Amino acid sequence: VAHRLRKRLAAAGFEVILTRERDVYVPLERRTAIANDARADLFLSIHANAHRARSARGFETYFLSLEASDETARQLAERENAAFAEATGETWNPDDPLLSILGDLMATEQSHESDHFARLVDREFRQVEGGSSRGVKQAPFVVLMGLQMPATLLEIGFITNPRDEASLRRDAHRDALVEAIAEAVIEYGRRYDAQRGLNAENR
């Protein structure tokens, strides 16, 4: 999906940088550094979801907050963060004072922009045929911390749900997801450019 999205956005005139080109683990600090060093305008983290209940299905869009919007969001962030910790051997302490500083930084335009973009994606996801949106949520995802630009984590379906898993296997469905995300990025880009007095010629 990420590779297809890069191709779609590049055709629309965007510069797209992937944190990895193939199926290898990239440490969190490296992902953050890639985005920050590139001075990116937007960071997307694309995931496939999972749940013990095979009935759970649908799309979710997240932006960063130290307080999860609900119990399901909290549990998902805990699982994601634990997976990163297992891969690196590092532990994540929610009482770390650094997180309090990050929390203060999140109460800025960056957080509002992340929320705005997440809602654009959710709106587009709701138009994907056969899909089901579970809404916009917030949670303390480590992968979104330390970024110097608006950031959103996208869950594009549950691989533990037979219907979602079958959909994700289909090229047409993956293309529909890409188009939904791309439309949200394009609209966000127009708004971003307008706020800075830019247009397609001088962008």
Side-chain angles (χ1 to χ4, degrees):
V1 170
H3 281 278
R4 291 173 189 231
L5 180 61
R6 174 171 62 176
K7 184 176 180 180
R8 171 68 176 86
L9 290 176
F14 289 85
E15 179 184 2
V16 180
I17 298 171
L18 300 183
T19 56
R20 58 181 181 170
E21 295 283 346
R22 54 196 176 89
D23 192 15
V24 295
Y25 180 78
V26 178
L28 289 180
E29 63 273 14
R30 179 59 184 151
R31 301 179 196 207
T32 302
I34 290 170
N36 289 340
D37 289 349
R39 305 184 74 175
D41 298 311
L42 186 65
F43 181 92
L44 305 182
S45 187
I46 301 174
H47 297 243
N49 213 336
H51 200 280
R52 290 188 182 90
R54 288 170 59 83
S55 59
R57 65 179 300 265
F59 314 119
E60 294 177 331
T61 56
Y62 285 89
F63 63 98
L64 181 62
S65 172
L66 294 184
E67 294 294 329
S69 53
D70 57 40
E71 181 60 19
T72 301
R74 185 192 65 77
Q75 291 177 1
L76 177 62
E78 282 186 354
R79 289 197 306 271
E80 297 272 2
N81 296 340
F84 285 124
E86 183 178 346
T88 61
E90 298 176 357
T91 57
W92 178 71
N93 178 10
D95 297 322
D96 189 330
L98 175 60
L99 294 183
S100 297
I101 297 173
L102 289 172
D104 290 339
L105 293 176
M106 281 183 271
T108 63
E109 179 184 3
Q110 183 171 305
S111 179
H112 296 302
E113 289 295 304
S114 298
D115 182 6
H116 174 71
F117 178 71
R119 294 182 189 283
L120 289 177
V121 176
D122 180 65
R123 185 191 69 190
E124 296 297 329
F125 273 168
R126 290 175 185 271
Q127 300 179 50
V128 173
E129 184 176 355
S132 174
S133 172
R134 295 163 63 92
V136 175
K137 302 181 180 183
Q138 54 194 61
F141 287 101
V142 174
V143 71
L144 300 181
M145 293 184 180
L147 294 164
Q148 298 168 7
M149 73 288 301
T152 303
L153 185 145
L154 310 177
E155 296 283 1
I156 59 174
F158 285 76
I159 58 174
T160 47
N161 176 271
R163 184 173 174 182
D164 277 5
E165 191 259 352
S167 294
L168 287 168
R169 287 180 179 273
R170 297 198 301 268
D171 284 343
H173 182 75
R174 293 197 297 274
D175 284 340
L177 292 175
V178 165
E179 191 60 29
I181 299 168
E183 285 298 319
V185 171
I186 291 168
E187 181 170 339
Y188 181 83
R190 290 194 195 104
R191 178 174 177 269
Y192 182 93
D193 288 348
Q195 289 175 336
R196 289 152 184 81
L198 301 175
N199 55 40
E201 287 71 36
N202 61 17
R203 187 162 145 193

